[in-house]
Amino acid sequence: MATQEPLVGRRERKKAATRKAIADAALRLFLEHGYDKVTMREVAEEADVSATTLLNYFPTKETLVFDHDADVQASLVAAITDRPAGTSAVTALHQHLKERAVHASAAPGATRFRVLVQSEAALTKHERDMWLRHQDALTAAVAEAEHLPSDDRTCRLVAAFALQTLIVAMDSDDPSSTIDLGFALIEHGRRAG
């Protein structure tokens, strides 16, 4: 007797393919014509989906640009919870964010993508907000790793500064050294506090 698992898997694969097709079409149009010159309807047409389908996957125009957000929080928390024995939470977070920034800057089309994001205030704000909304989860993970209360202000500041460091590094000519500098300041601040 067949189980429903393959059906669920197929459905999820189809949803993921639709989501990717929409995001790819949007990015292509934004890069070719400029973010402000492309409408949601044009993206739907390019992706060959209805406007309703597009809005089901991407409720705002900004979300079309940042399609990679779904697993970000889980990866931030896992960087701390799954860190190697003997590695501090801050060191693990430093390594994770450095790898993320370096990988993002080396990806094909990274420079064009950064120019697109920097060209629109709405995109810059959305990217910043997207990262900072993970601050509470990251604070809790750092606090748990450090055996501190979940509302510990030092852990909250570490999370906030780490996420801000990543935001600055994304637009830096040298993301790796920017992350290193940011975490040197975080470590210095922790020692001084």
Side-chain angles (χ1 to χ4, degrees):
M1 181 173 183
T3 65
Q4 283 196 347
E5 189 170 298
L7 180 61
V8 171
R10 185 175 30 240
R11 184 179 315 131
E12 293 306 314
R13 283 192 307 273
K14 185 175 181 202
K15 284 181 180 181
T18 299
R19 182 177 191 84
K20 182 174 179 354
I22 294 169
D24 289 350
L27 188 56
R28 186 171 51 254
L29 289 172
F30 294 154
L31 291 173
E32 288 174 9
H33 304 289
Y35 177 78
D36 59 337
K37 303 234 185 315
V38 177
T39 66
M40 296 282 276
R41 184 171 298 286
E42 290 170 325
V43 173
E45 289 172 10
E46 179 76 11
D48 196 25
V49 298
S50 71
T52 303
T53 297
L54 181 136
L55 291 172
N56 285 337
Y57 284 92
F58 300 96
T60 67
K61 193 173 176 182
E62 294 85 7
T63 58
L64 284 163
V65 176
F66 298 102
D67 183 42
H68 62 279
D69 189 41
D71 299 320
V72 168
Q73 185 166 299
S75 72
L76 289 168
V77 171
I80 295 169
T81 59
D82 300 344
R83 71 190 185 281
T87 302
S88 75
V90 173
T91 299
L93 184 59
H94 177 180
Q95 291 168 346
H96 175 74
L97 293 182
K98 186 173 180 174
E99 288 170 13
R100 181 178 280 280
V102 169
H103 176 74
S105 69
T111 301
R112 289 182 71 203
F113 180 78
R114 294 310 314 158
V115 168
L116 172 68
V117 171
Q118 293 170 348
S119 73
E120 293 292 329
L123 292 178
T124 304
K125 180 183 181 326
H126 182 81
E127 181 180 46
R128 180 183 175 283
D129 292 348
M130 178 187 73
W131 282 107
L132 294 180
R133 81 164 162 252
H134 304 301
Q135 183 176 326
D136 290 342
L138 191 53
T139 298
V142 172
E144 184 176 330
E146 302 281 331
H147 307 290
L148 295 168
S150 62
D151 62 348
D152 180 78
R153 68 181 179 171
T154 300
C155 296
R156 185 158 198 75
L157 287 167
V158 165
F161 291 155
L163 293 170
Q164 288 287 1
T165 296
L166 179 64
I167 292 165
V168 171
M170 296 291 223
D171 289 328
S172 168
D173 290 338
D174 186 356
S176 178
S177 68
T178 302
I179 294 284
D180 289 343
L181 176 59
F183 274 87
L185 293 170
I186 290 168
E187 287 291 1
H188 176 74
R190 289 182 78 207
R191 285 191 300 273

